[in-house]
Amino acid sequence: MSKTTKPAAPTQFEAVTGQLRDLGNKYIEDKDYISAQLTFRKLLQLDSKDVNARFIYAHLIEDGTHKKHAEARDLLLSILDDHPDIFNNPTEDNLNLIRGAALRCSNIGPNVRAIDLFRKLARASNRADDYFHLSEVLVRCNAFEEAITSLEKAIALDPARFGTEANWETLRSAKSQTGKSSGAADARKVGRYPETTDFTGDLGKLIRNHIAVNLNGAPKFIAKTTRFFTMGSCFARNLSKNLSDNGYASQHMEISEYVNSTYANKVFVDWLRDAPIDDGILRRFVELLPPGWSKETTLEAIRKSDVFILTLGVAPAFFDRATGAFVLPRPSALNSRALAEKYLFRTTSVQENVDNVRYLIDFIRQTAPGIKIVVTVSPVPLQASFEFESVVQADCLSKSTMRLVAHEVVNNSDISDIFYWPSFEVFRWAGSNASDFYAADDGAAWHVSEDKVSGTIRAFVEMFSST
């Protein structure tokens, strides 16, 4: 007679984890989700590889916040990463696991992972809603042809739910953009906000793929023999220096960020043209000129240049309270209160600045008819305001104004061979997602990082380079 082998008694660890699992499931049955969450958290602290506990805990912690949504996503993805065989075993539980991870990636990224998961899920489940979700996330990555096919599949599988007039209209519109249902090149791509990995990854790639996308097909006019003339604040100086350091001929006319307004730019043109200028403004302007610069040397530099880069600085300026005329005082921390009493410090309008910039560009083109024009907005913030107590709000209004000015001048005028370079967007948007765009060199919050300036200029040269 054969001997029956008794199953091994559970170890103390197995007994404890088993009790916690049973307790947690009991809390779920009783709808006591807070206690269930605490119990499964304790279970995972004891056994972080418990697949079932990870799956249940991921759903228990969802509370509507982005933070918990991401935590749940990561838990589900960790199961799939640890057990890739799940994809080859399409049980209902496994499909629900993949679907949960795919939906969370679709909601908060990464989109590439969402597409990969939904592709595998749709093929395994053959469910209409999985194909529909795949179609939606494919569009975000401009994969229009596959998105159309996936939506058609969803409609075919469940016409009652997905064969709506809205979806049929979507298909007709999508097909008209691509020319036909399959095989055609995308007629128009949709811009999508970059993901965190884009912001914190390669700067040149971020600029090419997400920030200066519209310039990828722009004319190529930069060669090693190209001569640049830059004008504006310290950012324009950094830009010119970086060009010079990389072997390009570049001269820079610097205007202090504090007075780097388009009204000061207009005075610059009037000075070069020998037009009438208020004596006080003229004296102040001459004081601000960089050493060694004169009308003759400035005009000669412009005439010899192939590319003129204008960096728009700030929208606020001082004006005479009685006449409304532009004034150019000597601001300092000590006399700022007196200046604010004597003069009106106000944020100028978009139209005022558009008129001033066009006045400047018209003169530049008269002086050098074939010169290319590049307009940028300085990312260097306004350092003081006599108009608002919050300089942060004042700077936002100022930069928003100057960005609209650049848009109007570049896109809604009859000026030819003019381009907008998004240096402002690089620093303010990439800088909000990565910590080393400001203050990296000296700790000053208003100083842009030299390394990021260099990276931005490299992308600029590569974008327009003919070699």
Side-chain angles (χ1 to χ4, degrees), residues 37-95:
Q37 182 184 141
L38 294 173
T39 303
F40 277 99
R41 180 193 298 171
K42 181 63 177 178
L43 178 57
L44 285 175
Q45 289 172 349
L46 294 174
D47 184 6
S48 62
K49 295 299 183 181
D50 188 317
V51 172
N52 189 60
R54 274 189 278 179
F55 180 81
I56 295 173
Y57 185 67
H59 291 81
L60 287 171
I61 62 174
E62 290 276 19
D63 62 1
T65 64
H66 295 306
K67 181 177 181 180
K68 290 300 181 183
H69 203 52
E71 190 176 339
R73 173 203 62 190
D74 293 343
L75 278 167
L76 297 180
L77 288 176
S78 72
I79 298 173
L80 295 174
D81 291 339
D82 290 345
H83 302 278
D85 54 300
I86 287 173
F87 293 104
N88 301 320
N89 186 22
T91 64
E92 194 60 34
D93 286 342
N94 284 348
L95 292 176

Side-chain angles (χ1 to χ4, degrees), residues 435-448:
S435 61
D436 55 350
F437 279 74
Y438 291 84
D441 303 315
D442 56 7
W446 53 90
H447 285 170
V448 292

Side-chain angles (χ1 to χ4, degrees), residues 297-318:
T297 58
T298 304
L299 288 169
E300 185 65 15
I302 294 172
R303 291 190 190 102
K304 289 183 176 180
S305 296
D306 304 299
V307 179
F308 172 63
I309 302 178
L310 172 64
T311 300
L312 302 177
V314 298
F318 283 104

Side-chain angles (χ1 to χ4, degrees), residues 183-354:
D186 293 338
R188 182 179 180 87
K189 292 189 175 181
V190 178
R192 300 288 179 182
Y193 200 75
E195 297 186 21
T196 302
T197 52
D198 297 313
F199 280 119
T200 56
D202 180 79
L203 179 59
K205 186 177 179 181
L206 171 69
I207 293 172
R208 288 190 304 274
N209 294 346
H210 297 284
I211 299 179
V213 188
N214 59 304
L215 295 174
N216 282 312
K220 311 300 181 185
F221 54 80
I222 295 179
K224 277 297 181 182
T225 57
T226 301
R227 295 161 298 184
F228 295 86
F229 182 86
T230 70
M231 178 176 169
S233 63
C234 59
F235 180 77
R237 180 186 68 234
N238 290 336
L239 187 154
S240 182
K241 179 180 182 301
N242 198 274
L243 287 168
S244 298
D245 291 344
N246 284 278
Y248 295 92
S250 181
Q251 296 195 63
H252 171 60
M253 168 66 74
E254 180 161 350
I255 300 177
S256 168
E257 185 75 28
Y258 195 82
V259 295
N260 185 24
S261 68
T262 65
Y263 275 92
N265 297 155
K266 188 174 185 297
V267 171
F268 169 74
V269 172
D270 288 338
W271 172 69
L272 291 175
R273 294 177 55 201
D274 288 322
I277 302 175
D278 176 84
D279 288 342
I281 292 179
L282 179 59
R283 286 193 301 271
R284 178 62 179 141
F285 184 81
V286 172
E287 289 175 4
L288 291 171
L289 286 174
W293 284 83
S294 65
K295 291 179 185 178
E296 292 72 23
T297 58
T298 304
L299 288 169
E300 185 65 15
I302 294 172
R303 291 190 190 102
K304 289 183 176 180
S305 296
D306 304 299
V307 179
F308 172 63
I309 302 178
L310 172 64
T311 300
L312 302 177
V314 298
F318 283 104
F319 296 88
D320 187 281
R321 289 185 179 275
T323 66
F326 171 67
V327 294
L328 198 60
R330 295 181 178 84
S332 70
L334 185 61
N335 73 347
S336 60
R337 188 177 297 275
L339 288 173
E341 291 296 326
K342 184 176 181 180
Y343 302 112
L344 173 65
F345 185 81
R346 69 173 176 86
T347 299
T348 53
S349 70
V350 171
Q351 191 57 54
E352 285 177 285
N353 286 286
V354 168

Side-chain angles (χ1 to χ4, degrees), residues 397-463:
L397 179 60
S398 172
K399 295 303 182 186
S400 299
T401 300
M402 302 318 290
R403 181 60 185 91
L404 283 171
V405 171
H407 177 79
E408 289 299 313
V409 170
V410 172
N411 297 287
N412 297 325
S413 70
D414 55 357
I415 303 172
S416 61
D417 287 334
I418 187 169
F419 308 90
Y420 174 73
W421 178 251
S423 53
F424 172 73
E425 288 86 336
V426 170
F427 278 82
R428 289 301 177 90
W429 269 262
S432 68
N433 287 271
S435 61
D436 55 350
F437 279 74
Y438 291 84
D441 303 315
D442 56 7
W446 53 90
H447 285 170
V448 292
S449 161
E450 292 180 9
D451 176 66
K452 298 306 180 185
V453 172
S454 297
T456 303
I457 301 308
R458 278 196 302 274
F460 168 77
V461 171
E462 290 172 3
M463 190 73 73

